[in-house]
Amino acid sequence: FASLEMPPMETVEELKQSGNELFKAGKYGAAVEKYADALAIEPENHLLLSNRSLAYCSAGDYAAARRDAEACIRLAPSFIKGYYRLATAQLHAGQLDDARKTLETGLGLDPTNSELRKLSKRARGAKPKPAKALDETTQKEAQELTQLIATKERDLRDAAARLQAAKRDKAKLTLTRTQIQHTSDDALLYRAVGKAFLADTKPAVLTLLDTHLKAADDAAAALAARKDALSRDITSADADLKALVQAS
């Protein structure tokens, strides 16, 4: 067999750096997708949640920014930037009391933090907008939308993780096919059938691998389409929730 290396998959750090570059370029939606791909590999990485919260906030999706910041704080309660991210999202959403409480908690952990102190000053000077109590029907609709978003986000994380696995499977199949292609045509090959190994010809094994590769391609395409559809559903539900609250 020829000495070949597995085609490299993007690591968490590479995905994070790609997200950072897209964010710097003002491509916030694309940055969110890169951070989501990284989170599919490391779902409890609080730094990724912090970065995605910032990207969501910059894109104007304050509800999603808040959810990521809250998850960041749950995973890393001593990570000060998590409080900054959450308070920023809350301020943008007009949730002044919540923002002030978040900042108070963060400053309790790090009283000299300059970012929190500046944001706290801004929060103290902000004027609250007159709040209207949501009627029972609107409250129910808002709760249903919130639950829908949470479900869709779980499904999105699952689809992203499965897509990464499908890409790894395809890479392994591609490597195996390349190695077999380099063997002599009369080489005796074996393929696994359950727990047994059966002798087979090179053309037959290549045909079988091509079948598996097509199945892997189809699976990856289906998962990518599902991931995109879920992202659109979440964006739509977030917009519906925002419109519902603003109209009440």
Side-chain angles (χ1 to χ4, degrees):
F1 288 96
S3 178
L4 298 173
E5 295 183 356
M6 179 70 72
M9 302 296 292
E10 282 189 289
T11 66
V12 168
E13 185 59 29
E14 288 170 341
L15 288 165
K16 177 184 171 186
Q17 290 302 321
S18 295
N20 291 348
E21 291 301 319
L22 287 165
F23 178 84
K24 290 176 184 176
K27 299 177 180 179
Y28 305 127
V32 164
E33 289 298 316
K34 284 294 182 181
Y35 295 139
D37 287 343
L39 282 163
I41 302 171
E42 291 186 8
E44 295 190 350
N45 187 318
H46 69 282
L47 296 175
L48 291 172
L49 286 164
S50 173
N51 284 13
R52 192 171 68 170
S53 176
L54 175 60
Y56 271 132
C57 198
S58 299
D61 191 344
Y62 307 129
R66 186 180 65 249
R67 287 193 297 272
D68 272 359
E70 288 171 341
C72 174
I73 291 171
R74 282 195 300 272
L75 290 169
S78 62
F79 181 61
I80 300 301
K81 188 150 296 215
Y83 298 93
Y84 182 84
R85 296 281 186 251
L86 178 56
T88 300
Q90 289 167 332
L91 277 176
H92 279 296
Q95 300 164 338
L96 298 185
D97 287 342
D98 289 341
R100 289 163 183 159
K101 290 176 184 176
T102 298
L103 290 163
E104 182 179 349
T105 302
L107 285 168
L109 296 171
D110 186 359
T112 62
N113 186 278
S114 59
E115 287 186 321
L116 288 183
R117 288 170 67 88
K118 288 178 183 176
L119 196 60
S120 181
K121 183 178 180 180
R122 174 183 158 194
R124 287 196 304 270
K127 296 181 180 179
K129 298 177 181 178
K132 297 180 180 178
L134 300 180
D135 59 55
E136 187 175 342
T137 300
T138 302
Q139 285 182 6
K140 184 178 179 181
E141 291 179 5
Q143 184 178 20
E144 289 173 350
L145 280 170
T146 301
Q147 291 172 346
L148 175 64
I149 292 168
T151 300
K152 293 286 186 181
E153 287 186 333
R154 284 195 298 271
D155 291 345
L156 178 60
R157 288 193 294 272
D158 176 68
R162 290 170 61 196
L163 179 57
Q164 288 291 327
K167 288 179 178 179
R168 287 193 293 272
D169 289 343
K170 180 183 175 182
K172 291 176 184 177
L173 287 167
T174 300
L175 175 62
T176 301
R177 194 190 190 290
T178 302
Q179 289 177 321
I180 290 176
Q181 190 68 50
H182 282 76
T183 63
S184 62
D185 291 340
D186 59 351
L188 182 61
L189 302 174
Y190 293 85
R191 61 184 178 88
V193 180
K195 295 183 179 180
F197 290 89
L198 299 181
D200 214 334
T201 64
K202 177 179 176 179
V205 172
L206 288 174
T207 298
L208 181 62
L209 284 169
D210 286 340
T211 300
H212 288 319
L213 274 168
K214 184 179 184 307
D217 272 334
D218 291 344
L223 286 166
R226 174 165 172 72
K227 182 168 167 281
D228 289 343
L230 286 166
S231 294
R232 290 193 298 270
D233 288 346
I234 292 169
T235 299
S236 176
D238 267 329
D240 289 345
L241 180 58
K242 186 183 298 183
L244 180 68
V245 173
Q246 289 177 345
S248 62

